Amino acid sequence: MSAAYRNSFSKLVLNFYLYYEGLTDRAETSEEERAFTEEFGRILKGFLGGQEDLESLEALRNRIVEKTEILTAFSDCFQIYEYVLNRVERRFLVMKDSGRTPAGLAAELVQHIAGLEDDAGRNEMLREIIAQLPVRFTRQKFYSLVMERFSVLTGVSKASIEDFLYMLKTSAMVQLPEHMEAEEELYRILSELRNMDYRGLSREEFESCTRSLAHASRLLLDQTDEHVLMAEMINDLYVLFLTRQEALVEAGEDQDFKTCLSRILDAVDKEEDSLVGEEGRRLLERIEGIQEAVEEIIQAGTDRDDPVLNKIDRLLSGSSFMSLEETEDSGGEADREFVEKKAEEFCEQLDKMFGSMPKAVIRAVMAKVLSGLPMIFRDSQEVEDYIRSSLESCTDHGEREACMELLEQELMG
């Protein structure tokens, strides 16, 4: 409890200072962000005054989580259209050929994967490569691949499969959250990309789409950074509410925390351009080392079956938007029949969506899905053959060259 209190208080102070600096640096802030900031400031002032309002804090956290789900959905959608635009670019640009063949590039990529230090890194690199490969499957061949990849999930808990499917559906635009239209500028850009004729795309339309996509990426990056920081601050304040009665902390250190937060809150209220003076900066410097001092205790977590301690572990997990409620998996393990049924339902949803999509976008969605499914390659030779075959089967020379260029960037990265 004491380590969690010290960790979260120091982190909250430093993150709130960063958030405050971001507010002062921006020329203008949205009405929604001002509302988030005001509500968080109100709850924080209550905490410093000895009050407790976990209900309001949970409500604010839920609003941030919902907003972030919408932003993530936009990001997934834009990645699909970026895949499309990257592959039509060669119609309008002549670029230098690297001289690599599909077979040579496939061998280099597999060698690069093998040289990575850990399994997680190798798996992530393989997913990134598969996401960039050209897709030339018929729908039926694609669905059979989906069914085959799903089969390895037999024996996994049903709840885990449902979570995996939700992630897969949202990333492939099969299932999108409500109220995306409330983000007017992002929704306008997404509508523009959806309604484009990619087969007959002109240079002017291509350049317009590229500019719109770049603009959307900047908007998403700014908003996502703000919401992640706000979520972290909410999680840390939540921990303080849960631990302040039990934590043992030196009075001077506790006062440093509270003084810093009070000064930042005062600066926000007065719309001042900087934190008050040198003394405030010295306080921040003293606080910076506290997280490192309690790091091992925080990482170890708790092995006690205690609902409060378990909630604290979730809040400190590093996953800012994790559910705070423990859910019992009453469904048990998934048998083959359950897995096949879920895979078939997913394929049916994809097929319905594909009916109204241009072929270029269908291929982008297929690539996205394949990169998200479990990998079933038996050895590195199978991986190399898959990469080579995907490149060689693409008869559109411009698209193949674009794919190879993107894959070459993976080698340099």
Side-chain angles (χ1 to χ4, degrees), residues 219-361:
L219 289 175
L220 278 172
L221 183 61
D222 289 344
Q223 289 197 58
T224 302
D225 286 348
E226 292 163 13
H227 285 76
V228 168
L229 194 53
M230 176 60 79
E232 289 181 3
M233 294 192 299
I234 290 170
N235 288 349
D236 285 318
L237 182 54
Y238 205 125
V239 170
L240 297 182
F241 277 124
L242 295 177
T243 58
R244 67 175 172 184
Q245 298 299 328
E246 304 291 335
L248 300 174
V249 186
E250 291 181 7
E253 182 177 275
D254 202 43
Q255 190 56 50
D256 283 349
F257 292 149
K258 292 174 180 176
T259 298
C260 271
L261 284 178
S262 296
R263 289 188 177 190
I264 299 169
L265 281 166
D266 190 48
V268 170
D269 287 344
K270 294 178 180 177
E271 298 184 353
E272 295 176 347
D273 290 335
S274 62
L275 191 62
V276 181
E278 286 296 323
E279 185 183 352
R281 281 188 282 276
R282 283 197 297 272
L283 282 172
L284 288 171
E285 288 172 4
R286 287 210 297 271
I287 289 170
E288 281 178 339
I290 292 172
Q291 290 174 61
E292 188 176 342
V294 298
E295 183 178 10
E296 286 188 17
I297 300 173
I298 297 300
Q299 288 183 348
T302 181
D303 56 2
R304 289 171 54 187
D305 187 17
D306 180 281
V308 175
L309 290 174
N310 289 337
K311 185 169 281 190
I312 291 169
D313 274 355
R314 286 169 175 265
L315 288 161
L316 297 176
S317 67
S319 180
S320 303
F321 307 101
M322 178 184 285
S323 171
L324 302 183
E325 303 305 319
E326 293 188 68
T327 55
E328 292 185 11
D329 183 14
S330 56
E333 291 185 354
D335 58 18
R336 184 186 182 92
E337 183 180 356
F338 178 88
V339 173
E340 287 182 352
K341 181 182 177 183
K342 290 297 177 181
E344 285 172 0
E345 289 174 357
F346 178 55
C347 289
E348 287 170 5
Q349 290 173 309
L350 283 168
D351 202 54
K352 184 178 179 180
M353 184 178 74
F354 288 163
S356 59
M357 274 185 171
K359 186 177 288 186
V361 182

Side-chain angles (χ1 to χ4, degrees), residues 14 22 61 124 191 207 220 233 244 315 336 380:
L14 297 170
R61 187 178 192 273
E124 182 60 28
S191 298
E207 291 174 350
L220 278 172
M233 294 192 299
R244 67 175 172 184
L315 288 161
R336 184 186 182 92
S380 58

Side-chain angles (χ1 to χ4, degrees), residues 32 70 74 178-187:
E32 184 181 51
I70 289 173
F74 274 114
E178 296 179 347
H179 312 304
M180 288 180 70
E181 69 279 358
E183 299 297 317
E184 294 181 7
E185 183 67 1
L186 291 171
Y187 196 77

Side-chain angles (χ1 to χ4, degrees), residues 130 133-153 164 168 339 343-344 346-347 350 366-367 369-377 382 386 389-390 393:
I130 289 174
L133 289 171
V135 173
R136 286 298 183 272
F137 303 120
T138 64
R139 287 198 206 178
Q140 291 310 311
K141 173 61 176 176
F142 169 70
Y143 298 143
S144 69
L145 285 173
V146 172
M147 297 292 292
E148 183 184 13
R149 300 273 188 94
F150 257 90
S151 67
V152 304
L153 298 175
F164 173 69
L168 204 57
V339 173
E344 285 172 0
F346 178 55
C347 289
L350 283 168
M366 287 180 174
V369 170
L370 290 174
S371 69
L373 289 170
M375 300 294 155
I376 57 172
F377 299 108
E382 273 200 6
Y386 183 87
S389 175
S390 297
S393 65

Side-chain angles (χ1 to χ4, degrees), residues 35-49:
F36 284 150
T37 304
E38 288 170 8
E39 177 67 355
F40 181 76
R42 183 189 68 76
I43 300 168
L44 182 55
K45 287 176 185 176
F47 167 78
L48 294 173

